[in-house]
Amino acid sequence: MTTARDLAIIALDVKPGLPVEQGDLSLALAGAEVLDLIEARALVVDGDRILPNAQAPTGERLLDEASAALRRQEPYESVEDWLWRRGRGLSSAYVDDLERVGLTARARGRHIPLRTGRTELVDSAARSRAEDRWATGEPVLAALASAAGIRDEPAEDAPELSGDAVAAVLAAVGGAVQELRAVRQRRAIEDAAFDNVWRGL
């Protein structure tokens, strides 16, 4: 199992009253994939750049897809650029993958924050593992969940506990999510202003 898959499971397991923005989650999942690929020795992070190593199968379809998508020519890709490129639609891809491998089933009227009414988690070893990491407050998973809006409070000292490369990835995820939220807020303000103009005519 991977941090990315664990994060997707936790996002599906979150309380219905705490919805998760798919864009925020997609960026966090893309960051989680970088961390998983670091652990798999498929890449290293040097400063803000992703330097790929030789490809080797991880056994996880989406993670192997991520590894194959790495830019392999200098000056290589920044972590931030990777998050935006790889993150597009990634939350939906993980929901579909969880269903494909039998970790979710069709929901029956229950509100699912990640994709309303589509799937719900079934009892499985993968779910138990993700929930154990969540319950113990594992720092990297907690930091990614905080960035995605799954938990209200930030994980304490997660970057310091994790090393320079992990800290760089977590910081990039946090920055990208904040940028996306600022764009959403700006659009909401512009839409509200546009509506007010029409009401005044």
Side-chain angles (χ1 to χ4, degrees):
M1 293 300 159
T2 68
T3 295
R5 180 175 281 183
D6 288 348
L7 181 62
I9 289 171
I10 294 302
L12 280 170
D13 213 16
V14 75
K15 295 178 181 178
L18 187 61
V20 177
E21 288 285 352
Q22 289 194 31
D24 297 353
L25 180 59
S26 290
L27 290 168
L29 285 167
E33 287 184 335
V34 174
L35 300 178
D36 288 331
L37 290 173
I38 290 173
E39 187 173 346
R41 300 186 179 184
L43 63 83
V44 295
V45 172
D46 184 6
D48 69 340
R49 297 282 162 179
I50 296 174
L51 281 59
N53 289 329
Q55 287 181 247
T58 65
E60 295 285 345
R61 185 180 68 87
L62 288 176
L63 202 56
D64 288 341
E65 182 182 281
S67 178
L70 293 171
R71 297 273 167 84
R72 297 184 178 273
Q73 292 81 33
E74 293 185 5
Y76 303 114
E77 192 168 28
S78 70
V79 175
E80 182 180 1
D81 287 347
W82 164 265
L83 297 177
W84 291 110
R85 181 170 67 88
R86 175 64 180 166
R88 187 179 299 274
L90 196 57
S91 61
S92 295
Y94 270 88
V95 170
D96 291 342
D97 193 62
L98 291 175
E99 187 173 350
R100 183 185 65 85
V101 299
L103 296 179
T104 60
R106 295 286 176 177
R108 296 178 180 169
R110 179 183 171 191
H111 175 74
I112 304 297
L114 190 55
R115 187 183 283 182
T116 304
R118 176 170 168 72
T119 57
E120 59 184 9
L121 291 164
V122 299
D123 290 334
S124 65
R127 182 180 185 180
S128 296
R129 179 184 182 277
E131 289 176 342
D132 286 346
R133 288 183 72 184
W134 182 249
T136 59
E138 195 275 321
V140 172
L141 182 62
L144 290 165
S146 178
I150 297 170
R151 59 186 293 161
D152 294 325
E153 72 281 357
E156 293 182 5
D157 301 326
E160 288 77 5
L161 293 173
S162 306
D164 291 343
V166 176
V169 173
L170 295 177
V173 170
V177 169
Q178 289 303 316
E179 184 178 342
L180 181 58
R181 289 173 181 168
V183 169
R184 279 200 302 263
Q185 184 177 24
R186 187 164 58 248
R187 285 179 179 169
I189 291 170
E190 290 170 354
D191 289 346
F194 185 76
D195 290 344
N196 287 337
V197 170
W198 278 105
R199 288 192 193 100
L201 294 179

